[in-house]
Amino acid sequence: MVHAVSTTYLRFEHMSPPAAGMALLLHASEWDSAASARSFFRAYAEVLKNKFNQVEIRSETEDQLIGHGDTGDFSLRISGALVQAVEGVPSPASRAH
């Protein structure tokens, strides 16, 4: 059984175009072991790969997943028992407008 020791979620709303009204999600969780963190990391990676209508995986390694979905760029990283995720970052192309 996996156990989270601590979990923090933050949600911010973009106020400026072109992302106005879209959410920026930040997540960090510390797990009781590196194995538990790895289990959560793998599950979260599968969610990110499947939650969007369109998804582009830009980089995927054993310790990180970086891509772009319908709501912007995302990244997922693991280091030991810590998992961190960011979703909804406006892509560089949309920030240039």
Side-chain angles (χ1 to χ4, degrees):
M1 183 179 288
V2 297
H3 294 99
V5 175
S6 65
T7 301
T8 301
Y9 286 95
L10 298 172
R11 181 186 182 277
F12 298 94
E13 187 172 311
H14 295 285
M15 301 301 288
S16 302
M22 295 182 71
L24 175 67
L25 305 173
L26 307 174
H27 167 262
S29 57
E30 183 179 4
W31 296 82
D32 60 352
S33 67
S36 292
R38 179 68 58 188
S39 179
F40 177 77
F41 173 86
R42 288 182 182 137
Y44 201 141
E46 286 305 307
V47 167
L48 287 171
K49 290 177 185 178
N50 294 292
K51 77 182 271 186
F52 303 107
N53 291 323
Q54 295 182 355
V55 64
E56 173 191 353
I57 303 302
R58 296 183 176 151
S59 174
E60 184 173 13
T61 67
E62 188 174 299
D63 297 329
Q64 75 174 12
L65 176 68
I66 297 173
H68 180 81
D70 302 334
T71 60
D73 291 346
F74 60 82
S75 69
L76 175 65
R77 292 183 167 78
I78 184 171
S79 179
L82 180 65
V83 178
Q84 298 172 307
V86 178
E87 296 182 52
V89 178
S91 65
S94 68
R95 289 193 299 257
H97 293 115

